[in-house]
Amino acid sequence: MELNRRTVIAGAAAAGLAATTLGAGSAEAAPGGRKPVKEPFGKLADGTRIYRWSLENGGTRLKVLNWGGVVQSLEIPDRHGHYANVSLGFGDIDDYVAKTPYFGALIGRYGNRIAQGRFTLDGTTHQLSVNDGVNSLHGGKQGFDKHVWDVEPFTKGTDVGLHLHYTSVDGEMGYPGTLRATVTYTLTRHGEWRITYEATTDRATVVNLTSHVYWNLAGEGSGTIEDHELRIAASRYTPTDSGLIPTGELAEVAGTPFDFRHAKPIGRDIRAGHEQQVQAKGYDHNWALDKGITAEPVHVATLRDPRSGRTLKIATDQPGLQFYSGNFLDGTLTGTGGRTYRQGDALCLETQHFPDSPNHANFPSTVLRPGQTYRTTTVHTFSA
């Protein structure tokens, strides 16, 4: 099966999460909604101007750059109505260009890792840009996060948002085919942040787009996320080798530190000494979601900060969720609030297909062919 199919495989209820499909809001006026506002955010070395768009709707405030589609900040209230920016980021474009570990960025052409930067499609082997040891990570040295996107703001009914467009030419970072990608960020009147990814190609290729927001629901720069409670609707995960490339096994989470089927603090088992944790320095793995690929987004993960009461629920139609516990933040990066980011000060929950899928016949296919449209949606719902 290839990417244009929308096969409903199973529900998430077996993992203890309700399989709730998230639909559009009603046509009532959006409380607090406003048209996106554009402002300068510096220049690149070649003089290219970078801009930031500010959006607000339903109590959620979002700031987005045309550089890499970066979410520079995302503000939501706590149980007392106090706002905080819950995503890691930088205050100027120079840091994004020189230093960023994908803070808030759109990731492509292929999110996550491809072993040795190589895959074979229709009998032809393609060598990709290698930027993670011998492997290719997040699209290579110049992935989608390191390009300027065309941005088109919109208002539609009670929704506000941005259409972001980027064309990746045939051969860019070694990938075959010219890929035309559109990513839509939407804030609904309920404060949900919806991401819709679409892409077409003129030649058979592989594609796996995702968002790389680093979350800390207590507020960026506030300290560790090890007390955050996480639940993932997945009975299996994909173990990796020492280069964090999946071995091809779909291992049971039961009886291991990787069991998040019931909510637990992230720090409870993060230093349990499991071989997989030792080589990843924590969690940096793909969970194979019990629901599989679905026609519409289904609730698959819940993250909660007990201190602030802020809660994030994630729904997706994708088969996998990469949970990364901020293992490689090392205290050398200073964020938007002027504080440094240390190991474990944020986490990522990336909805996607599995890492290295082009090299594993037993993983869901990431092949996209001419005439097909890659289309996937992830929904973030906030509450306190």
Side-chain angles (χ1 to χ4, degrees), residues 19-36:
T20 304
T21 298
L22 302 181
S26 70
E28 298 175 21
R34 67 178 185 181
K35 292 181 180 179

Side-chain angles (χ1 to χ4, degrees), residues 1-11 290-296 298 316-319 353 364 375:
M1 290 189 293
E2 295 180 356
L3 274 175
N4 65 324
R5 75 273 191 261
R6 288 302 188 92
T7 306
V8 178
I9 296 179
D290 288 340
K291 71 174 187 63
I293 298 167
T294 46
E296 299 293 338
V298 170
T316 186
D317 49 23
Q318 293 287 274
H353 269 59
R375 184 178 293 112

Side-chain angles (χ1 to χ4, degrees), residues 126-201:
H126 300 276
Q127 180 61 57
L128 308 175
S129 166
V130 171
N131 63 328
D132 183 44
V134 299
N135 303 317
S136 183
L137 173 65
H138 294 334
K141 293 179 181 178
Q142 296 291 323
F144 285 10
D145 60 295
K146 296 178 179 65
H147 290 276
V148 175
W149 290 61
D150 293 327
V151 179
E152 176 189 358
F154 70 88
T155 59
K156 183 178 181 181
T158 59
D159 294 341
V160 298
L162 304 170
H163 297 301
L164 300 100
H165 308 281
Y166 177 69
T167 297
S168 175
V169 299
D170 183 24
E172 184 174 275
M173 295 296 102
Y175 287 91
T178 294
L179 189 82
R180 301 183 185 278
T182 296
V183 179
T184 301
Y185 290 163
T186 303
L187 289 185
T188 74
R189 72 183 186 92
H190 301 294
E192 295 169 338
W193 175 38
R194 302 176 66 96
I195 311 177
T196 300
Y197 308 85
E198 296 179 298
T200 59
T201 184

